Amino acid sequence: MKTAAKLLWLLLLLPIFAALMAAQPPEPSAKPKWSLAIHGGAGTIPKDIPESQKEEYLKSLRAALEAGSKVLAGGGTSLDAVEKVVRFLEDDPLFNAGKGAVFTNEGTNELDAAIMDGRDLSCGSVAGLKTVKNPISLARMVMEKSPHVFMVGQGAEKFADEMKVPRVDQKYFFTQKRYDDWQKKLKEEAEKDKDTVGAVALDVHGNLAAATSTGGMTNKRFGRLGDVPVIGAGTYANNKTAAISATGWGEQFIKHTVAHDISALMEYKGLTLQQAAEEVIHRKLQKDDGGVIGVAWDGSIALVFNSEGMYRGAADSNGRSEVAIW
Ligand code: ASP
């Protein structure tokens, strides 16, 4: 065949090839461009809670998921997305972080939070805050605007003033439900209440970030800090492996360095995020200790818990969008 004829055939066939390619449905397992997972705490959540209450939680989780998804779908960073989600949940009195924080043994509210950037392991933690409205944003300032990674109590609040981060009166954190829970706990002398908020994300630039915020555990003693602000226990992010945020009995999560352990199993043993999270949550921790949410470098999401329930949500650029409790 002459070269001109060959060319003519090629030109005729080209649009047919193009049409065939365009008609291919997207591969369902294609790596998502962005992924997001969120949690609002794990614990004993009775399955018979009134339908209206259940709907309230799901509605809030959906709204938080949507706010974070919007940031990521618009090309925003994973850090911005996780901060946005956590701020949203901190402002919602339903969850034990910010506005809905639990009461300490002394009748105060003391907040802890941490954020981590998977690009270079930068991180910021704050703990024992009594007047900072959105602890997660102060944690981010510690990471970005101070030479330190961990600031606590009055010093951290002084730093909040320097950074012009809004502070509030302790009264702001009062909610009747948490007060009643505390009164009940005072009688029982138990400290195993679990709730916290967190978000982890992969952005379109390939970067992972994790953020967690909590009021801690009901009736906690003076000076008690949990796993949330301890990098590697309740919060961790590393672009090589995953971003992880935990919720549950903080003391156990610190002892087992849960978030870093999951990352280490991926890095050193080649486990997937799901396998690593299951190993730690189901085989290292005890039943009812709590759970984790994670997003891996490849956009896969893990939501693993050993308690009765975990308020949670997941979304990605492939169209996944779901919230659940049990
Ligand atoms: N892990 C938190 C703490 O121990 C509590 C929670 O997740 O509910 O402070």
Coordinates of all heavy atoms in Angstrom, one line a residue, residues 241-283:
T241 N 3.7 6.2 53.9 CA 2.8 5.2 54.3 C 1.4 5.6 54.4 O 0.6 5.4 53.5 CB 3.3 4.7 55.7 OG1 3.3 5.8 56.6 CG2 4.6 3.9 55.7
A242 N 1.0 6.3 55.5 CA -0.4 6.7 55.7 C -0.6 7.9 56.6 O 0.4 8.3 57.3 CB -1.1 5.5 56.2
A243 N -1.8 8.4 56.6 CA -2.2 9.4 57.7 C -3.2 8.7 58.6 O -4.1 8.0 58.1 CB -2.8 10.6 57.0
I244 N -3.0 8.8 59.9 CA -3.8 8.0 60.8 C -4.3 8.9 61.9 O -3.5 9.7 62.5 CB -3.0 6.9 61.4 CG1 -2.7 5.8 60.3 CG2 -3.8 6.1 62.5 CD1 -1.4 5.3 60.3
S245 N -5.6 8.8 62.3 CA -6.1 9.5 63.5 C -6.9 8.5 64.3 O -7.7 7.7 63.8 CB -7.1 10.6 63.0 OG -7.8 11.1 64.1
A246 N -6.6 8.5 65.6 CA -7.2 7.4 66.5 C -8.3 8.0 67.4 O -8.4 9.2 67.6 CB -6.1 6.8 67.3
T247 N -9.0 7.1 68.0 CA -10.0 7.5 69.0 C -10.2 6.3 69.9 O -10.3 5.1 69.5 CB -11.4 7.9 68.4 OG1 -12.3 8.0 69.5 CG2 -11.9 7.0 67.4
G248 N -10.2 6.5 71.2 CA -10.4 5.4 72.1 C -9.8 5.7 73.5 O -9.5 6.8 73.8
W249 N -9.5 4.6 74.2 CA -8.9 4.7 75.5 C -7.4 5.1 75.3 O -6.5 4.3 75.1 CB -9.0 3.4 76.2 CG -8.6 3.4 77.6 CD1 -8.2 4.4 78.4 CD2 -8.6 2.2 78.5 NE1 -7.9 4.1 79.6 CE2 -8.2 2.7 79.8 CE3 -8.9 0.9 78.3 CZ2 -8.0 1.9 80.8 CZ3 -8.7 0.0 79.4 CH2 -8.3 0.5 80.7
G250 N -7.2 6.5 75.5 CA -5.9 7.1 75.2 C -4.7 6.4 75.8 O -3.6 6.2 75.2
E251 N -4.8 5.9 77.1 CA -3.7 5.3 77.7 C -3.2 4.1 76.9 O -2.0 3.8 76.8 CB -4.0 4.9 79.2 CG -4.0 6.0 80.2 CD -5.2 7.1 80.0 OE1 -6.1 6.8 79.2 OE2 -5.1 8.1 80.7
Q252 N -4.1 3.3 76.4 CA -3.8 2.1 75.6 C -3.1 2.5 74.3 O -2.2 1.8 73.8 CB -5.0 1.2 75.4 CG -5.7 0.7 76.6 CD -4.8 0.0 77.5 OE1 -3.8 -0.7 77.1 NE2 -4.9 0.1 78.8
F253 N -3.6 3.6 73.7 CA -3.1 4.0 72.4 C -1.7 4.5 72.6 O -0.9 4.4 71.6 CB -4.0 5.0 71.8 CG -5.2 4.4 71.1 CD1 -6.2 3.8 71.8 CD2 -5.3 4.3 69.7 CE1 -7.3 3.2 71.2 CE2 -6.4 3.7 69.1 CZ -7.4 3.2 69.8
I254 N -1.4 5.1 73.7 CA 0.0 5.6 74.0 C 0.9 4.4 74.2 O 2.0 4.3 73.6 CB 0.0 6.5 75.2 CG1 -0.7 7.9 74.9 CG2 1.5 6.8 75.6 CD1 -0.8 8.8 76.1
K255 N 0.5 3.5 75.0 CA 1.3 2.3 75.3 C 1.7 1.5 74.1 O 2.8 1.0 73.9 CB 0.6 1.3 76.2 CG 0.5 1.7 77.7 CD -0.2 0.6 78.5 CE -0.9 1.2 79.7 NZ -1.8 0.2 80.3
H256 N 0.8 1.5 73.1 CA 1.0 0.7 71.9 C 1.4 1.6 70.7 O 1.5 1.1 69.6 CB -0.2 -0.1 71.6 CG -0.5 -1.2 72.6 ND1 0.2 -2.3 72.7 CD2 -1.4 -1.2 73.6 CE1 -0.2 -3.1 73.7 NE2 -1.2 -2.4 74.2
T257 N 1.7 2.8 71.0 CA 2.1 3.8 69.9 C 1.3 3.4 68.6 O 1.9 3.2 67.5 CB 3.6 3.8 69.6 OG1 4.1 2.5 69.4 CG2 4.3 4.5 70.7
V258 N 0.0 3.4 68.7 CA -0.9 2.8 67.7 C -0.7 3.4 66.3 O -0.4 2.7 65.3 CB -2.3 2.9 68.1 CG1 -3.3 2.7 67.0 CG2 -2.6 1.9 69.3
A259 N -0.7 4.7 66.2 CA -0.7 5.3 64.8 C 0.7 5.1 64.1 O 0.7 4.7 63.0 CB -0.9 6.8 64.9
H260 N 1.8 5.2 64.9 CA 3.1 4.9 64.3 C 3.3 3.5 64.0 O 3.9 3.1 63.0 CB 4.2 5.5 65.1 CG 5.5 5.3 64.5 ND1 6.4 4.2 64.8 CD2 6.1 6.0 63.5 CE1 7.4 4.3 64.0 NE2 7.3 5.3 63.2
D261 N 2.7 2.6 64.9 CA 2.9 1.2 64.7 C 2.2 0.8 63.3 O 2.8 -0.1 62.6 CB 2.1 0.4 65.8 CG 3.0 -0.6 66.4 OD1 4.2 -0.4 66.5 OD2 2.5 -1.7 66.7
I262 N 1.1 1.3 63.0 CA 0.4 1.0 61.8 C 1.3 1.5 60.6 O 1.5 0.7 59.6 CB -1.0 1.7 61.7 CG1 -1.9 1.1 62.8 CG2 -1.6 1.6 60.3 CD1 -3.2 1.8 63.0
S263 N 1.9 2.7 60.7 CA 2.8 3.2 59.7 C 4.0 2.3 59.5 O 4.4 2.0 58.4 CB 3.2 4.6 60.0 OG 4.2 5.0 59.2
A264 N 4.6 1.9 60.7 CA 5.8 1.0 60.6 C 5.5 -0.3 60.0 O 6.3 -0.8 59.3 CB 6.3 0.9 62.1
L265 N 4.3 -0.9 60.3 CA 4.0 -2.2 59.7 C 3.9 -2.1 58.1 O 4.3 -3.0 57.4 CB 2.7 -2.7 60.2 CG 2.7 -3.3 61.6 CD1 1.3 -3.6 62.1 CD2 3.5 -4.6 61.6
M266 N 3.5 -0.9 57.7 CA 3.4 -0.7 56.2 C 4.8 -0.5 55.7 O 5.2 -1.0 54.7 CB 2.6 0.6 55.9 CG 1.1 0.4 56.3 SD 0.2 1.9 56.1 CE 0.1 2.0 54.3
E267 N 5.6 0.4 56.4 CA 6.9 0.7 55.9 C 7.9 -0.5 55.9 O 8.7 -0.7 55.0 CB 7.5 1.9 56.7 CG 8.8 2.4 56.1 CD 9.3 3.7 56.8 OE1 8.6 4.2 57.7 OE2 10.4 4.2 56.4
Y268 N 7.9 -1.2 57.0 CA 9.0 -2.2 57.2 C 8.5 -3.6 56.8 O 9.3 -4.4 56.4 CB 9.4 -2.3 58.7 CG 10.0 -1.0 59.2 CD1 9.6 -0.4 60.4 CD2 10.9 -0.2 58.4 CE1 10.1 0.8 60.9 CE2 11.4 1.0 58.9 CZ 11.0 1.5 60.1 OH 11.4 2.7 60.5
K269 N 7.2 -3.8 56.8 CA 6.7 -5.2 56.5 C 5.9 -5.2 55.3 O 5.5 -6.3 54.9 CB 5.9 -5.7 57.7 CG 6.8 -6.2 58.9 CD 6.1 -7.3 59.6 CE 7.2 -8.2 60.2 NZ 6.5 -9.4 60.9
G270 N 5.7 -4.1 54.6 CA 4.9 -4.1 53.4 C 3.5 -4.4 53.5 O 2.8 -4.7 52.5
L271 N 2.9 -4.3 54.7 CA 1.5 -4.5 54.8 C 0.7 -3.4 54.2 O 1.2 -2.3 54.1 CB 1.1 -4.6 56.3 CG 1.0 -6.0 57.0 CD1 2.3 -6.7 56.8 CD2 0.7 -5.9 58.5
T272 N -0.6 -3.7 53.8 CA -1.4 -2.6 53.3 C -1.9 -1.9 54.5 O -1.8 -2.4 55.7 CB -2.6 -3.1 52.5 OG1 -3.4 -3.9 53.4 CG2 -2.2 -4.0 51.3
L273 N -2.5 -0.7 54.3 CA -3.1 0.1 55.4 C -4.1 -0.7 56.2 O -4.1 -0.8 57.4 CB -3.7 1.4 54.9 CG -4.5 2.2 55.9 CD1 -3.6 2.7 57.1 CD2 -5.1 3.4 55.3
Q274 N -5.0 -1.4 55.4 CA -6.1 -2.2 56.0 C -5.5 -3.3 56.9 O -5.9 -3.5 58.1 CB -7.0 -2.7 54.9 CG -8.2 -3.5 55.4 CD -9.3 -2.6 56.1 OE1 -9.4 -1.4 55.8 NE2 -10.0 -3.1 57.0
Q275 N -4.5 -4.0 56.3 CA -3.9 -5.1 57.1 C -3.2 -4.6 58.4 O -3.3 -5.2 59.4 CB -2.8 -5.8 56.2 CG -3.4 -6.6 55.1 CD -2.4 -7.1 54.1 OE1 -1.3 -6.5 54.0 NE2 -2.7 -8.1 53.3
A276 N -2.5 -3.5 58.2 CA -1.7 -3.0 59.4 C -2.7 -2.5 60.4 O -2.5 -2.7 61.6 CB -0.8 -1.8 58.9
A277 N -3.7 -1.8 60.0 CA -4.7 -1.3 61.0 C -5.4 -2.4 61.7 O -5.6 -2.4 63.0 CB -5.7 -0.4 60.3
E278 N -5.7 -3.5 61.0 CA -6.4 -4.6 61.6 C -5.5 -5.3 62.6 O -5.9 -5.7 63.7 CB -6.9 -5.6 60.6 CG -8.1 -5.1 59.9 CD -8.7 -6.0 58.9 OE1 -8.3 -7.2 58.8 OE2 -9.7 -5.6 58.2
E279 N -4.2 -5.4 62.2 CA -3.2 -6.1 63.1 C -3.2 -5.4 64.4 O -3.2 -6.0 65.5 CB -1.8 -6.0 62.4 CG -0.7 -6.6 63.2 CD -0.8 -8.1 63.3 OE1 -1.4 -8.8 62.4 OE2 -0.4 -8.7 64.3
V280 N -3.1 -4.0 64.4 CA -2.9 -3.3 65.6 C -4.2 -3.2 66.4 O -4.2 -3.4 67.6 CB -2.3 -1.9 65.4 CG1 -2.2 -1.1 66.6 CG2 -1.0 -2.0 64.7
I281 N -5.3 -2.9 65.7 CA -6.6 -2.7 66.5 C -7.2 -4.0 67.0 O -7.7 -4.1 68.1 CB -7.6 -2.0 65.6 CG1 -7.1 -0.6 65.2 CG2 -9.0 -1.9 66.2 CD1 -6.8 0.4 66.4
H282 N -7.1 -5.1 66.2 CA -7.7 -6.3 66.6 C -6.8 -7.3 67.3 O -7.2 -8.1 68.1 CB -8.3 -7.0 65.4 CG -9.4 -6.3 64.8 ND1 -10.5 -5.8 65.5 CD2 -9.7 -5.9 63.5 CE1 -11.3 -5.2 64.7 NE2 -10.9 -5.2 63.5
R283 N -5.4 -7.2 67.1 CA -4.6 -8.2 67.7 C -3.6 -7.6 68.8 O -3.2 -8.3 69.6 CB -3.8 -8.9 66.6 CG -4.7 -9.9 65.9 CD -4.0 -10.7 64.9 NE -3.9 -10.0 63.6 CZ -4.9 -9.9 62.8 NH1 -6.1 -10.5 63.0 NH2 -4.8 -9.3 61.6

